[in-house]
mmCIF file of all heavy atoms in Angstrom:
data_model
loop_
_atom_site.group_PDB
_atom_site.id
_atom_site.type_symbol
_atom_site.label_atom_id
_atom_site.label_comp_id
_atom_site.label_asym_id
_atom_site.label_seq_id
_atom_site.Cartn_x
_atom_site.Cartn_y
_atom_site.Cartn_z
ATOM 1 N N THR B 922 -35.039 -93.826 108.269
ATOM 2 C CA THR B 922 -35.920 -94.487 107.303
ATOM 3 C C THR B 922 -36.232 -95.911 107.738
ATOM 4 O O THR B 922 -37.365 -96.380 107.582
ATOM 5 C CB THR B 922 -35.287 -94.498 105.903
ATOM 6 O OG1 THR B 922 -34.837 -93.198 105.602
ATOM 7 C CG2 THR B 922 -36.283 -94.940 104.856
ATOM 8 N N SER B 923 -35.235 -96.604 108.297
ATOM 9 C CA SER B 923 -35.529 -97.985 108.682
ATOM 10 C C SER B 923 -36.463 -98.013 109.888
ATOM 11 O O SER B 923 -37.248 -98.942 110.038
ATOM 12 C CB SER B 923 -34.243 -98.768 108.941
ATOM 13 O OG SER B 923 -33.515 -98.179 109.974
ATOM 14 N N SER B 924 -36.411 -96.984 110.738
ATOM 15 C CA SER B 924 -37.381 -96.928 111.838
ATOM 16 C C SER B 924 -38.773 -96.625 111.301
ATOM 17 O O SER B 924 -39.767 -97.181 111.745
ATOM 18 C CB SER B 924 -37.021 -95.830 112.837
ATOM 19 O OG SER B 924 -35.713 -95.986 113.280
ATOM 20 N N GLU B 925 -38.821 -95.700 110.334
ATOM 21 C CA GLU B 925 -40.118 -95.252 109.840
ATOM 22 C C GLU B 925 -40.765 -96.255 108.915
ATOM 23 O O GLU B 925 -41.937 -96.565 109.047
ATOM 24 C CB GLU B 925 -39.942 -93.951 109.044
ATOM 25 C CG GLU B 925 -39.853 -92.730 109.900
ATOM 26 C CD GLU B 925 -39.734 -91.488 109.034
ATOM 27 O OE1 GLU B 925 -39.779 -91.613 107.808
ATOM 28 O OE2 GLU B 925 -39.592 -90.404 109.610
ATOM 29 N N GLU B 926 -39.989 -96.711 107.944
ATOM 30 C CA GLU B 926 -40.615 -97.474 106.875
ATOM 31 C C GLU B 926 -40.096 -98.896 106.795
ATOM 32 O O GLU B 926 -40.385 -99.611 105.845
ATOM 33 C CB GLU B 926 -40.384 -96.765 105.537
ATOM 34 C CG GLU B 926 -41.006 -95.385 105.514
ATOM 35 C CD GLU B 926 -40.571 -94.588 104.303
ATOM 36 O OE1 GLU B 926 -40.626 -95.144 103.217
ATOM 37 O OE2 GLU B 926 -40.178 -93.434 104.479
ATOM 38 N N GLY B 927 -39.296 -99.281 107.791
ATOM 39 C CA GLY B 927 -38.810 -100.650 107.799
ATOM 40 C C GLY B 927 -37.463 -100.774 107.099
ATOM 41 O O GLY B 927 -37.102 -99.966 106.255
ATOM 42 N N LEU B 928 -36.738 -101.807 107.490
ATOM 43 C CA LEU B 928 -35.380 -102.016 107.010
ATOM 44 C C LEU B 928 -35.346 -102.202 105.496
ATOM 45 O O LEU B 928 -34.490 -101.689 104.795
ATOM 46 C CB LEU B 928 -34.794 -103.239 107.710
ATOM 47 C CG LEU B 928 -33.322 -103.504 107.456
ATOM 48 C CD1 LEU B 928 -32.492 -102.325 107.904
ATOM 49 C CD2 LEU B 928 -32.874 -104.763 108.181
ATOM 50 N N ARG B 929 -36.356 -102.948 104.993
ATOM 51 C CA ARG B 929 -36.393 -103.245 103.569
ATOM 52 C C ARG B 929 -36.405 -101.955 102.756
ATOM 53 O O ARG B 929 -35.564 -101.745 101.875
ATOM 54 C CB ARG B 929 -37.662 -104.055 103.280
ATOM 55 C CG ARG B 929 -37.579 -104.963 102.094
ATOM 56 C CD ARG B 929 -38.920 -105.673 101.930
ATOM 57 N NE ARG B 929 -39.709 -104.980 100.919
ATOM 58 C CZ ARG B 929 -39.728 -105.343 99.639
ATOM 59 N NH1 ARG B 929 -39.031 -106.377 99.247
ATOM 60 N NH2 ARG B 929 -40.438 -104.681 98.765
ATOM 61 N N GLU B 930 -37.352 -101.082 103.106
ATOM 62 C CA GLU B 930 -37.496 -99.816 102.388
ATOM 63 C C GLU B 930 -36.208 -98.992 102.502
ATOM 64 O O GLU B 930 -35.744 -98.401 101.531
ATOM 65 C CB GLU B 930 -38.694 -99.049 102.978
ATOM 66 C CG GLU B 930 -39.116 -97.841 102.202
ATOM 67 C CD GLU B 930 -39.560 -98.156 100.787
ATOM 68 O OE1 GLU B 930 -40.018 -99.304 100.520
ATOM 69 O OE2 GLU B 930 -39.420 -97.268 99.949
ATOM 70 N N ALA B 931 -35.622 -98.996 103.717
ATOM 71 C CA ALA B 931 -34.408 -98.216 103.933
ATOM 72 C C ALA B 931 -33.281 -98.729 103.045
ATOM 73 O O ALA B 931 -32.538 -97.942 102.456
ATOM 74 C CB ALA B 931 -33.989 -98.288 105.399
ATOM 75 N N LEU B 932 -33.175 -100.044 102.949
ATOM 76 C CA LEU B 932 -32.091 -100.595 102.146
ATOM 77 C C LEU B 932 -32.344 -100.375 100.653
ATOM 78 O O LEU B 932 -31.402 -100.118 99.899
ATOM 79 C CB LEU B 932 -31.910 -102.087 102.448
ATOM 80 C CG LEU B 932 -31.329 -102.376 103.833
ATOM 81 C CD1 LEU B 932 -31.144 -103.860 104.049
ATOM 82 C CD2 LEU B 932 -29.998 -101.648 104.037
ATOM 83 N N ILE B 933 -33.613 -100.442 100.246
ATOM 84 C CA ILE B 933 -33.916 -100.186 98.833
ATOM 85 C C ILE B 933 -33.524 -98.764 98.473
ATOM 86 O O ILE B 933 -32.800 -98.514 97.515
ATOM 87 C CB ILE B 933 -35.424 -100.411 98.550
ATOM 88 C CG1 ILE B 933 -35.737 -101.905 98.606
ATOM 89 C CG2 ILE B 933 -35.804 -99.842 97.188
ATOM 90 C CD1 ILE B 933 -37.208 -102.231 98.452
ATOM 91 N N GLN B 934 -33.983 -97.815 99.317
ATOM 92 C CA GLN B 934 -33.641 -96.412 99.041
ATOM 93 C C GLN B 934 -32.142 -96.188 99.114
ATOM 94 O O GLN B 934 -31.571 -95.453 98.321
ATOM 95 C CB GLN B 934 -34.325 -95.491 100.042
ATOM 96 C CG GLN B 934 -35.776 -95.239 99.698
ATOM 97 C CD GLN B 934 -36.365 -94.177 100.610
ATOM 98 O OE1 GLN B 934 -35.682 -93.269 101.048
ATOM 99 N NE2 GLN B 934 -37.638 -94.306 100.883
ATOM 100 N N GLY B 935 -31.509 -96.859 100.113
ATOM 101 C CA GLY B 935 -30.058 -96.724 100.252
ATOM 102 C C GLY B 935 -29.362 -97.233 99.007
ATOM 103 O O GLY B 935 -28.447 -96.594 98.480
ATOM 104 N N ALA B 936 -29.817 -98.388 98.506
ATOM 105 C CA ALA B 936 -29.181 -98.964 97.325
ATOM 106 C C ALA B 936 -29.351 -98.050 96.120
ATOM 107 O O ALA B 936 -28.404 -97.814 95.370
ATOM 108 C CB ALA B 936 -29.778 -100.338 97.039
ATOM 109 N N TRP B 937 -30.565 -97.494 95.946
ATOM 110 C CA TRP B 937 -30.771 -96.567 94.831
ATOM 111 C C TRP B 937 -29.889 -95.338 94.980
ATOM 112 O O TRP B 937 -29.309 -94.871 94.007
ATOM 113 C CB TRP B 937 -32.236 -96.146 94.738
ATOM 114 C CG TRP B 937 -33.116 -97.112 94.004
ATOM 115 C CD1 TRP B 937 -34.173 -97.800 94.527
ATOM 116 C CD2 TRP B 937 -33.046 -97.505 92.625
ATOM 117 N NE1 TRP B 937 -34.754 -98.592 93.571
ATOM 118 C CE2 TRP B 937 -34.082 -98.427 92.383
ATOM 119 C CE3 TRP B 937 -32.188 -97.164 91.574
ATOM 120 C CZ2 TRP B 937 -34.294 -99.015 91.148
ATOM 121 C CZ3 TRP B 937 -32.413 -97.752 90.340
ATOM 122 C CH2 TRP B 937 -33.447 -98.662 90.134
ATOM 123 N N SER B 938 -29.822 -94.804 96.211
ATOM 124 C CA SER B 938 -29.007 -93.600 96.421
ATOM 125 C C SER B 938 -27.561 -93.877 96.051
ATOM 126 O O SER B 938 -26.922 -93.087 95.346
ATOM 127 C CB SER B 938 -29.053 -93.162 97.886
ATOM 128 O OG SER B 938 -30.374 -93.013 98.308
ATOM 129 N N VAL B 939 -27.054 -95.013 96.556
ATOM 130 C CA VAL B 939 -25.657 -95.328 96.276
ATOM 131 C C VAL B 939 -25.492 -95.600 94.780
ATOM 132 O O VAL B 939 -24.499 -95.201 94.168
ATOM 133 C CB VAL B 939 -25.199 -96.530 97.122
ATOM 134 C CG1 VAL B 939 -23.822 -96.985 96.718
ATOM 135 C CG2 VAL B 939 -25.214 -96.146 98.596
ATOM 136 N N GLY B 940 -26.509 -96.236 94.180
ATOM 137 C CA GLY B 940 -26.441 -96.504 92.746
ATOM 138 C C GLY B 940 -26.362 -95.219 91.932
ATOM 139 O O GLY B 940 -25.526 -95.088 91.035
ATOM 140 N N VAL B 941 -27.212 -94.259 92.269
ATOM 141 C CA VAL B 941 -27.180 -92.984 91.551
ATOM 142 C C VAL B 941 -25.849 -92.277 91.818
ATOM 143 O O VAL B 941 -25.222 -91.731 90.906
ATOM 144 C CB VAL B 941 -28.374 -92.090 91.958
ATOM 145 C CG1 VAL B 941 -28.223 -90.701 91.375
ATOM 146 C CG2 VAL B 941 -29.680 -92.715 91.493
ATOM 147 N N ALA B 942 -25.406 -92.335 93.077
ATOM 148 C CA ALA B 942 -24.112 -91.728 93.408
ATOM 149 C C ALA B 942 -23.012 -92.368 92.559
ATOM 150 O O ALA B 942 -22.121 -91.683 92.062
ATOM 151 C CB ALA B 942 -23.803 -91.893 94.892
ATOM 152 N N ALA B 943 -23.106 -93.685 92.375
ATOM 153 C CA ALA B 943 -22.093 -94.376 91.577
ATOM 154 C C ALA B 943 -22.137 -93.917 90.121
ATOM 155 O O ALA B 943 -21.117 -93.905 89.447
ATOM 156 C CB ALA B 943 -22.299 -95.882 91.659
ATOM 157 N N MET B 944 -23.339 -93.515 89.662
ATOM 158 C CA MET B 944 -23.419 -93.026 88.287
ATOM 159 C C MET B 944 -22.922 -91.589 88.178
ATOM 160 O O MET B 944 -22.411 -91.182 87.139
ATOM 161 C CB MET B 944 -24.863 -93.134 87.788
ATOM 162 C CG MET B 944 -25.214 -94.554 87.407
ATOM 163 S SD MET B 944 -26.857 -94.660 86.707
ATOM 164 C CE MET B 944 -27.807 -95.210 88.098
ATOM 165 N N VAL B 945 -23.088 -90.813 89.257
ATOM 166 C CA VAL B 945 -22.621 -89.420 89.233
ATOM 167 C C VAL B 945 -21.105 -89.365 89.439
ATOM 168 O O VAL B 945 -20.415 -88.501 88.907
ATOM 169 C CB VAL B 945 -23.349 -88.606 90.328
ATOM 170 C CG1 VAL B 945 -22.839 -87.183 90.373
ATOM 171 C CG2 VAL B 945 -24.847 -88.612 90.085
ATOM 172 N N HIS B 946 -20.614 -90.350 90.188
ATOM 173 C CA HIS B 946 -19.207 -90.378 90.596
ATOM 174 C C HIS B 946 -18.204 -90.245 89.442
ATOM 175 O O HIS B 946 -17.319 -89.393 89.493
ATOM 176 C CB HIS B 946 -18.984 -91.672 91.397
ATOM 177 C CG HIS B 946 -17.624 -91.803 91.976
ATOM 178 N ND1 HIS B 946 -16.630 -92.534 91.360
ATOM 179 C CD2 HIS B 946 -17.069 -91.310 93.106
ATOM 180 C CE1 HIS B 946 -15.550 -92.482 92.094
ATOM 181 N NE2 HIS B 946 -15.789 -91.746 93.166
ATOM 182 N N PRO B 947 -18.352 -91.062 88.375
ATOM 183 C CA PRO B 947 -17.374 -90.940 87.284
ATOM 184 C C PRO B 947 -17.368 -89.534 86.676
ATOM 185 O O PRO B 947 -16.325 -89.035 86.275
ATOM 186 C CB PRO B 947 -17.847 -91.961 86.248
ATOM 187 C CG PRO B 947 -18.823 -92.814 86.920
ATOM 188 C CD PRO B 947 -19.368 -92.084 88.085
#
Side-chain angles (χ1 to χ4, degrees):
Chain B
T922 311
S923 60
S924 306
E925 279 182 3
E926 298 170 48
L928 187 59
R929 207 181 98 95
E930 190 61 26
L932 290 182
I933 289 175
Q934 280 188 32
W937 277 117
S938 306
V939 172
V941 171
M944 282 184 261
V945 177
H946 184 263

